[in-house]
Amino acid sequence: MNTDAVMPKAACATCSLAQNARLIKLGIETGGWDYVVALAGNPNTGKSTVFNAVTGLRQHTGNWPGKTVTRAEGGFIYDGKRYKLVDLPGTYSLLSTSVDEEIARDFILFGQPHVTVVVVDATRLERNLNLVLQILEITDRVVVCLNLMDEAERHGIKVDDRALARDLGVPVVPTVARRGEGIPELLAAIAQVASGEYATRPHRIRHLDPEVGQAVERLTREIEKTFKGLPNARWVAMRLLEGDERIIEAVRKHELGELAPAAEMASTMQPALETA
Amino acid sequence: MTDKAMPPDSPDPLLDMADSLRQEVGPDFHDRLVESIYTDASQIASHTVTHDGERGRFYWDRTLDRLLTSRTWGFPIMGLMLMAVFWLTISGANVPSAMLADLLMDKVYNALHGAASALSLPWWLSGFVIDGMYLATAWVVSVMLPPMAIFFPLFTLLEDFGYLPRVAFNLDRLFHRAGAHGKQALSMMMGFGCNAAGVISTRIIDSPRERLIAIITNNFSICNGRWPTLILMGTIFIGATAPPALASFAAAASVVTIAVLGIILALGVSWFLSRTWLKGETSAFSLELPPYRPPQILQTLYTSVIDRTLIVLWRAVVMAAPAGAIIWLLGNITLGDASLAVHLVQLLNPIGLLFGLNGVILVAYVLAIPANEIVIPTILMLTLMVSGSDAVQAGVMIEMEDQTQVYNVLVNMGGWTLLTAINLMLFSLIHNPCSTTILTIWNETKNLRWTTVATLLPLGLGFAVTFLTATVARLFGLV
Amino acid sequence: MAVTVQTLDTLAPGQKAVVKDLAVEGLERRRLMDLGILPGTVIEPELKSPLGDPTAYLVRGTLIALRREQARHIHVVPLEEEQDEH
Ligand SMILES: Nc1nc2c(ncn2[C@@H]2O[C@H](COP(=O)(O)OP(=O)(O)OP(=O)(O)O)[C@@H](O)[C@H]2O)c(=O)[nH]1
Ligand SMILES: [Mg+2]
């Protein structure tokens, strides 16, 4: 299957109204969902703005990294299907085991969203791809929202979204979230990835040096044997090689795969506070 | 799931394999992985992104940054911005505040009383509802709505433009010296809206020690519940002493002085904490300075009025109505020869005067524990009540839409002086956080000791500072 | 010409350099790498805070502010040919 989720611009000049009619914003109502969609991305790329545009809610937004620090949930109906959308705090990476990336990391890893939308800043694509490539190692159900296209244009930056979609193997949708441009196309892409209609072929990190690459491969095979059907064995292998305590613990307790999002993660400050 | 858990030292073939592979690859696995990710990323970026012209960074951003963070202009511009925001807020809010007061406290108030007597409601019912709940609410609305409807959009415009991280960048050295995290400046700016939100926003600081410092000192950022107190005091006591043309300028300057004092206090207390109870290394700090983005003015106006102003106002109203009811009851239940309010105020008055405040102000701050917003209405209602003036019926405020009349009530009936006003401004800055904020601090720290410190430390400091100013003023015979 | 290694905090404003290595470990190291500062990255001091510290560096198209005590741990090699640009 080779459907290109990035709708050709010309075809959509007239259809965006019709597509919008297929969207019903549900605000804070998230019950009875068919799909869970996570909004991830670097800080300050417009995740909360996308969230607001789709759910009709008014999460606070602001032009500085770190505006959102808690998880927010909202709902919408698109094409008759109910979606729960989760706005996450921005992170530069999911590899650092630092506290401020914890909410996002835990949700993407253990919340097992049906689709993860990575909102990227079109004016600084290279650094944003760092996170995109990490997320593509965790899940193959990804849509890239290439936001801030107006800013890119203002600064004379052009991004070839089709080439990018080819390279990443997932849909790439250019948007100007603040004006609602591209949101219908984004929803269409989310729906296609959620239903499996768009089969993604996610990019895998290529330039691993041979020694590291082999270690990852060997461990991945072993993990796949132990945990059949685990979607992100390669990622788990990388985390084990790094010595990530959280993942080691999950393997030891055979919790991988069933690790649901812990309802309320205990405040991670606590142990540290007792010694403070 | 716990039953399945094996003892931690039981051999797990998978983990053993991971261990031995980890030994083979060596400790720099993370580095190598990240390097390969970046190699992939720059390869992909290089053939999907094209630039018009080879400018390292956007020309305008660069020029503007040079100015806003310049050695000469960085600080004056910050001061000017702060001054401009308050000057616009104060001078812009004057007229609509008076109009609202006229409408709510004269026209609607009289209409309500008219309706009550037409329905021949018992005096205590109409008193409780109209002179208690309604009046307190009306006061809160007319004191808060106009300044908030100006302040919030202005602040949001600066935030959307991208100015806040530059402020953090300019001030970082001071925070560093105080042993605090550089992002504490950002959480303090969030505290200018609401301290509970400011406390939550400290989550961007990932060192527990520095985060605690930020939480405890967030209260020194003046929240929206306190701005109206400062603005009113600054306007009627300080602005009024300046020539009329400069009145709102002087008022703004007094408010800015208090706000800056708050920043200095936050730095001082951070310094103290990081050298005593919260000793430790300063953690690494990095702050991304985002590109400037032209804000969408109309949308910002709309959302900040709808979201922030109305939500804040709603909270104030929800708090004000019950407070008004309590005040009315205090004023109308008599014990012996005087009302409860009189007893209470007389009891606290000597203590209040010691701190250059008075009994009414202390009662107001007890009632205002749930929300600082109701300080002003409480002070005015109580002052009228206990003055025993014939001009007013117990528990009622009438025709105070004119700010000179507020001044007259406070000075003539309440016995206020310039010292009372200044100390009220100081105490408004330095006292315990509101109950919502205390609860948030508890939720964020889950630690009774630090929640207590965060509550009592500013309160103690507030009494110390007001005692000091009152004593100095007395020594110099200023009061 | 001999390769001169210096620390990031000693770079003159506007002087481009290539990161040689990061002399920190643990979380702080991972943090820097997350921000795109790793061996081989081109970096350039662009703004100094009015009080002299921190400094904001241009890295991969983004301004990142670092305090001096961190910049001291980043070893760089100046790019000579870039100097006459300013
Ligand atoms: N020009 C332009 N600005 C945008 C666009 N999308 C978002 N913004 C602005 O960019 C800023 C950041 O947006 P947010 O939605 O708060 O970003 P975020 O990704 O949620 O940020 P964090 O919560 O800090 O991770 C805000 O000032 C938005 O108004 C866009 O498409 N174009
Ligand atoms: Mg956000």
Side-chain angles (χ1 to χ4, degrees):
Chain A
M1 234 185 47
N2 224 344
T3 340
D4 199 348
V6 186
M7 310 268 174
K9 282 255 156 57
C12 253
T14 50
C15 70
S16 98
L17 256 183
Q19 279 185 334
N20 249 337
R22 287 150 62 181
L23 168 69
I24 303 171
K25 302 174 185 181
L26 293 178
I28 53 167
E29 198 188 316
T30 57
W33 43 263
D34 299 295
Y35 299 112
V36 176
V37 179
L39 277 172
N42 278 30
N44 206 27
T45 54
K47 296 175 293 298
S48 302
T49 310
V50 171
F51 179 86
N52 292 347
V54 175
T55 60
L57 289 170
R58 295 211 190 85
Q59 270 285 97
H60 285 182
T61 61
N63 188 8
W64 54 282
K67 179 79 194 184
T68 306
V69 289
T70 55
R71 202 170 94 185
E73 298 184 353
F76 65 94
I77 296 180
Y78 183 74
D79 251 2
K81 293 268 191 268
R82 277 176 171 267
Y83 291 81
K84 177 165 103 171
L85 188 63
V86 181
D87 184 23
L88 296 169
T91 58
Y92 292 102
S93 156
L94 299 174
L95 291 169
S96 287
T97 51
S98 69
V99 181
D100 53 347
E101 68 184 38
E102 182 177 78
I103 295 179
R105 187 180 55 226
D106 282 348
F107 191 80
I108 297 170
L109 214 50
F110 303 127
Q112 296 181 335
H114 296 93
V115 181
T116 302
V117 177
V118 190
V119 182
V120 303
D121 178 347
T123 65
R124 31 192 50 181
L125 187 63
E126 181 188 333
R127 60 168 50 248
N128 279 242
L129 282 176
N130 174 37
L131 182 69
V132 175
L133 295 179
Q134 291 180 28
I135 292 177
L136 285 176
E137 287 286 342
I138 299 178
T139 163
D140 49 10
R141 294 170 160 243
V142 171
V143 174
V144 170
C145 168
L146 190 61
N147 193 33
L148 293 151
M149 287 301 282
D150 56 333
E151 287 291 293
E153 197 171 320
R154 194 161 71 87
H155 293 117
I157 297 169
K158 287 202 184 65
V159 181
D160 182 346
D161 52 287
R162 288 166 158 271
L164 187 60
R166 251 192 328 270
D167 281 354
L168 297 176
V170 296
V172 173
V173 186
T175 60
V176 182
R178 207 161 70 165
R179 297 203 296 253
E181 286 169 27
I183 297 295
E185 291 82 354
L186 179 68
L187 292 171
I190 293 172
Q192 287 180 330
V193 172
S195 67
E197 188 184 326
Y198 184 119
T200 57
R201 285 166 281 103
H203 173 102
R204 293 286 177 232
I205 297 167
R206 269 192 296 247
H207 292 87
L208 287 175
D209 58 68
E211 195 190 3
V212 172
Q214 272 170 21
V216 171
E217 287 315 320
R218 276 180 64 195
L219 199 55
T220 307
R221 277 198 300 276
E222 196 62 28
I223 294 168
E224 277 167 347
K225 257 191 273 164
T226 318
F227 302 93
K228 296 217 166 45
L230 190 72
N232 40 28
R234 208 169 111 99
W235 175 261
V236 173
M238 291 182 193
R239 298 314 295 154
L240 287 181
L241 282 177
E242 170 126 14
D244 184 331
E245 289 300 329
R246 177 108 202 238
I247 304 290
I248 292 178
E249 203 48 34
V251 170
R252 178 169 288 140
K253 293 187 174 164
H254 287 260
E255 293 176 344
L256 274 189
E258 26 175 323
L259 253 183
E264 261 320 309
M265 309 276 175
S267 165
T268 39
M269 274 185 79
Q270 221 155 324
L273 280 181
E274 258 126 49
T275 58
Chain B
M1 190 166 302
T2 42
D3 324 38
K4 269 194 276 173
M6 291 182 243
D9 51 355
S10 83
D12 184 312
L14 191 59
L15 292 180
D16 287 346
M17 181 173 178
D19 277 342
S20 67
L21 283 173
R22 199 180 308 132
Q23 304 290 325
E24 267 173 47
V25 177
D28 60 349
F29 173 78
H30 182 89
D31 286 20
R32 295 208 227 167
L33 179 61
V34 176
E35 272 167 35
S36 42
I37 297 176
Y38 270 109
T39 311
D40 278 20
S42 61
Q43 204 174 64
I44 295 174
S46 73
H47 75 268
T48 50
V49 181
T50 44
H51 293 259
D52 276 1
E54 220 13 86
R55 272 174 296 175
R57 202 159 71 91
F58 317 139
Y59 176 75
W60 276 113
D61 279 33
R62 189 185 278 239
T63 313
L64 202 55
D65 263 341
R66 291 253 158 91
L67 181 69
L68 294 182
T69 67
S70 109
R71 186 180 276 265
T72 331
W73 294 109
F75 277 84
I77 290 175
M78 279 196 296
L80 269 177
M81 293 268 196
L82 201 60
M83 198 59 204
V85 166
F86 285 106
W87 182 77
L88 285 171
T89 304
I90 290 174
S91 57
N94 251 332
V95 175
S97 264
M99 278 163 47
L100 266 177
D102 178 48
L103 176 74
L104 296 176
M105 265 160 320
D106 192 13
K107 306 219 163 64
V108 176
Y109 173 80
N110 287 334
L112 284 174
H113 261 303
S117 55
L119 292 170
S120 54
L121 291 182
W123 71 271
W124 53 266
L125 185 60
S126 64
F128 185 79
V129 174
I130 302 172
D131 300 333
M133 294 166 72
Y134 171 77
L135 255 185
T137 310
W139 257 110
V140 162
V141 172
S142 61
V143 175
M144 286 195 64
L145 181 57
M148 292 301 103
I150 299 173
F151 176 78
F152 278 144
L154 288 176
F155 190 81
T156 314
L157 285 179
L158 284 180
E159 182 179 358
D160 275 349
F161 179 57
Y163 187 56
L164 302 197
R166 272 74 188 178
V167 174
F169 179 68
N170 286 350
L171 294 177
D172 182 64
R173 183 101 195 244
L174 302 176
F175 282 89
H176 189 184
R177 285 261 178 83
H181 196 278
K183 288 183 182 168
Q184 184 172 324
L186 288 169
S187 65
M188 283 178 63
M189 284 183 264
M190 292 300 102
F192 279 155
C194 163
N195 292 133
V199 166
I200 293 177
S201 77
T202 62
R203 291 188 189 185
I204 51 173
I205 300 171
D206 66 1
S207 135
R209 182 189 74 89
E210 286 158 331
R211 191 177 162 207
L212 261 177
I213 294 179
I215 288 178
I216 294 170
T217 55
N218 195 270
N219 189 41
F220 296 119
S221 290
I222 298 157
C223 68
N224 59 62
R226 298 185 263 168
W227 292 121
T229 310
L230 298 180
I231 291 175
L232 188 68
M233 290 298 117
T235 307
I236 64 179
F237 278 93
I238 292 163
T241 59
L246 293 176
S248 52
F249 186 77
S254 70
V255 174
V256 168
T257 306
I258 297 287
V260 171
L261 191 65
I263 297 171
I264 294 171
L265 267 173
L267 285 167
V269 172
S270 302
W271 181 88
F272 169 78
L273 288 172
S274 68
R275 266 153 197 82
T276 52
W277 304 326
L278 288 169
K279 255 192 221 144
E281 291 285 298
T282 41
S283 69
F285 155 81
S286 56
L287 177 69
E288 181 182 336
L289 301 180
Y292 296 102
R293 290 176 188 153
Q296 288 178 302
I297 298 189
L298 287 180
Q299 192 176 326
T300 304
L301 282 181
Y302 174 79
T303 48
S304 53
V305 168
I306 297 295
D307 292 356
R308 305 190 63 180
T309 310
L310 292 187
I311 286 174
V312 162
L313 193 68
W314 174 242
R315 177 183 123 96
V317 165
V318 167
M319 300 291 181
I326 293 174
I327 296 166
W328 187 86
L329 289 176
L330 286 178
N332 285 278
I333 299 176
T334 47
L335 194 71
D337 55 348
S339 69
L340 283 180
V342 170
H343 285 301
L344 202 59
V345 167
Q346 277 174 356
L347 185 74
L348 292 174
N349 214 29
I351 307 173
L353 290 176
L354 193 63
F355 295 102
L357 302 166
N358 59 37
V360 167
I361 297 178
L362 292 188
V363 176
Y365 271 96
V366 174
L367 280 177
I369 288 175
N372 282 287
E373 286 84 342
I374 59 179
V375 165
I376 289 294
T378 312
I379 287 176
L380 292 171
M381 289 170 90
L382 280 176
T383 304
L384 283 170
M385 253 179 215
V386 302
S387 70
S389 152
D390 293 337
V392 283
Q393 184 190 337
V396 188
M397 262 177 281
I398 38 163
E399 317 244 337
M400 284 219 284
E401 65 270 26
D402 190 344
Q403 284 178 331
T404 50
Q405 251 164 312
V406 174
Y407 179 85
N408 288 338
V409 166
L410 292 177
V411 171
N412 299 336
M413 296 185 185
W416 284 44
T417 62
L418 185 59
L419 174 71
T420 324
I422 289 176
N423 272 7
L424 174 60
M425 289 174 92
L426 287 171
F427 195 71
S428 168
L429 167 69
I430 326 169
H431 70 281
N432 54 288
C434 72
S435 56
T436 314
T437 306
I438 298 176
L439 207 65
T440 309
I441 295 175
W442 164 254
N443 280 333
E444 294 294 310
T445 62
K446 290 277 184 272
N447 182 304
L448 195 60
R449 178 153 65 112
W450 293 119
T451 311
T452 313
V453 169
T455 308
L456 296 183
L457 185 131
L459 187 63
L461 205 58
F463 281 122
V465 168
T466 47
F467 180 73
L468 196 74
T469 52
T471 312
V472 169
R474 277 184 206 114
L475 281 180
F476 287 88
L478 296 178
V479 278
Chain C
M1 194 188 298
V3 179
T4 46
V5 178
Q6 59 187 92
T7 54
L8 183 58
D9 59 312
T10 61
L11 272 189
Q15 169 153 44
K16 284 189 186 161
V18 177
V19 176
K20 191 88 173 96
D21 73 302
L22 310 175
V24 283
E25 291 306 323
L27 184 62
E28 200 175 330
R29 182 187 185 88
R30 296 199 293 270
R31 263 291 148 74
L32 289 173
M33 297 181 85
D34 290 346
L35 291 169
I37 303 174
L38 51 155
T41 308
V42 177
I43 192 165
E44 173 189 347
E46 186 166 317
L47 290 175
K48 223 180 189 63
S49 160
L51 299 174
D53 189 45
T55 301
Y57 300 90
L58 189 59
V59 189
R60 297 176 201 263
T62 299
L63 270 187
I64 310 272
L66 299 175
R67 286 176 177 170
R68 185 171 296 131
E69 57 186 31
Q70 280 164 283
R72 232 197 317 261
H73 295 133
I74 299 173
H75 298 165
V76 296
V77 178
L79 285 172
E80 302 291 341
E81 67 280 5
E82 299 290 340
Q83 257 174 334
D84 46 358
E85 194 189 84
H86 291 277

